[in-house]
Amino acid sequence: MAGVKRIEAILSGSEPFKVIDMEVKNYLPILSDHQRMSPFFMLDHGPLKRFSPISGEGRVDGLHPHRGLETVTVVYEGAITHYDTKGNGGTIHKDEAQWMTAGAGIQHTEFPELPEGGLSEMIQLWVLLPRAHKMTEPKYQPLTRETIKSVPVRDGEVRIIAGNYSGVTGPATSFTPIHLLDVRLEMDGEAELTFPAHFNTGVFVVKGAVEVNGETAVASGNFILFENAGEDLMLKSLSDRTVLLILSGQPLQEPIAHRGPFVMNIPEELDEAYQDFWGGKFG
C-alpha cells in the first residue's frame, strides 16, 4: 500500500445561477488557486429538473466561442443536443457523454433534447489544453453507452469515460493524462481506486452518499478534494443508489489566464482570442 489519499476539503459549490433554465452550481473555480485541480478547470452541475417540452434541434441561440480548452458534458437524465461551427452535432442521452476540443477556436451550443418534456440532469467540465496543444484543430467525440466500457465492483460498476481502471481504457482521447470515471454503487457497494500521488484528484457526489476511506461520509451535491499524497481511495455507498464522478489528472504546471469562454496561458493570448473571435475566425 502506498498510502491513502486524504481529504483536503469538501466543497459545497457556488450559489446557483441560471443556464438554459437550469439552476446550475459551479465547483472548481471557487478554489482560490486555479492550479489546484489542473488540468480540470470547471465543473458545473445542473441538478435534476423537470422540463416542459424543449429541443436543441436546429437551434443556434446560445451559440458561444471557446479556445484553449475542452468541454466535456456527462448526461445523467434526459438528453442533450450539440451543434458547433465545425459541422459537428448530435444528441447524447442518459449515461452518455460528449467531448469537444475547442483548440484554436470554435463556437458551439447545447440544449436539453426533451421534445415531450421530462427530467434532465448533467455535468459540464472544462479540461485545459496544455500550451503545446492550445491551438490544435477542433474536434468532437460522442461517447455513447456502447463505447463507454465498465468494470464490475462490489455491488456496482466503474464506467470509464477517459483514462483507465483495472486495465480497461475509456473511449475518450485527451491531450494530458487524465482519468474520468463514472461510478455507480448500490447500498454498501465498494470501489477501490488508485491514482498517482501527484495527480490532482477529486470526487463529485452526484447522487446518494459515500463513505471515504472508512472515515468520512459525504452527501450528494458536494465535491471532495484530495491531498496530493498517497495513491489509494476506498469509496463505499451509504445509500441505495450512489453515483460519483471521479476526476484525476496530471497537473499541467503552466500559467493559467482566464477570461470568459477562453482559457490560455497569458493575458495577451486572451486579447488575441477575442480579436480573432470578433474577426470571424471561429466560424
Side-chain angles (χ1 to χ4, degrees):
M1 293 285 285
V4 299
K5 283 188 174 292
R6 301 292 181 187
I7 294 174
E8 178 176 318
I10 297 174
L11 308 175
S12 59
S14 68
E15 290 298 314
F17 58 96
K18 186 163 285 190
V19 177
I20 318 175
D21 253 358
M22 290 184 288
E23 292 295 322
V24 173
K25 292 184 74 173
N26 184 273
Y27 288 82
L28 297 189
I30 64 174
L31 297 169
S32 58
D33 181 4
H34 285 172
Q35 298 281 0
R36 187 59 192 83
M37 272 299 292
S38 167
F40 305 101
F41 184 79
M42 186 193 81
L43 188 157
D44 280 357
H45 177 226
L48 192 66
K49 177 179 176 176
R50 183 170 294 279
F51 279 83
S52 300
I54 184 173
S55 177
E57 196 69 37
R59 297 180 66 160
V60 294
D61 53 318
L63 195 68
H64 60 278
H66 287 295
R67 173 180 280 181
L69 56 88
E70 301 181 284
T71 66
V72 182
T73 304
V74 182
V75 177
Y76 293 96
E77 295 288 346
I80 296 286
T81 288
H82 166 95
Y83 163 79
D84 66 48
T85 49
K86 291 295 182 180
N88 302 308
T91 300
I92 57 167
H93 300 84
K94 178 178 179 179
D95 300 335
E96 297 183 330
Q98 60 189 14
W99 195 297
M100 186 190 76
T101 303
I106 198 169
Q107 295 188 68
H108 79 141
T109 188
E110 295 173 292
F111 280 93
E113 189 60 45
L114 299 165
E116 298 179 2
L119 295 173
S120 178
E121 183 175 15
M122 52 81 71
I123 283 176
Q124 185 169 95
L125 301 168
W126 287 8
V127 180
L128 300 179
L129 288 167
R131 187 194 297 270
H133 298 286
K134 288 284 191 192
M135 300 296 284
T136 193
E137 182 70 18
K139 68 175 182 178
Y140 173 77
Q141 303 175 70
L143 310 171
T144 65
R145 294 189 192 101
E146 291 74 24
T147 60
I148 298 175
K149 300 173 184 177
S150 67
V151 173
V153 294
R154 176 181 168 184
D155 293 326
E157 63 176 340
V158 176
R159 304 175 71 240
I160 305 100
I161 298 172
N164 60 77
Y165 176 78
S166 193
V168 177
T169 300
T173 60
S174 63
F175 289 83
T176 193
I178 68 171
H179 304 282
L180 185 62
L181 308 176
D182 174 19
V183 178
R184 313 288 179 94
L185 300 172
E186 302 302 328
M187 176 65 81
D188 294 329
E190 293 182 345
E192 297 181 33
L193 303 110
T194 300
F195 303 110
H198 71 286
F199 272 33
N200 288 331
T201 300
V203 173
F204 182 68
V205 186
V206 183
K207 301 178 190 292
V210 66
E211 180 184 79
V212 181
N213 296 328
E215 298 175 344
T216 306
V218 183
S220 63
N222 287 287
F223 184 86
I224 310 164
L225 176 68
F226 291 91
E227 296 177 356
N228 291 106
E231 295 184 352
D232 303 311
L233 286 178
M234 171 62 79
L235 304 173
K236 180 179 179 180
S237 175
L238 300 177
S239 72
D240 290 337
R241 179 68 165 164
T242 293
V243 179
L244 310 168
L245 186 65
I246 300 178
L247 297 69
S248 188
Q250 179 173 295
L252 293 180
Q253 297 181 325
E254 296 176 354
I256 295 174
H258 167 233
R259 192 188 314 154
F262 306 130
V263 186
M264 303 299 288
N265 294 115
I266 58 175
E268 290 79 5
E269 292 169 337
L270 296 176
D271 295 338
E272 183 181 4
Y274 275 98
Q275 290 167 8
D276 288 347
F277 169 60
W278 292 117
K281 295 183 179 180
F282 285 40

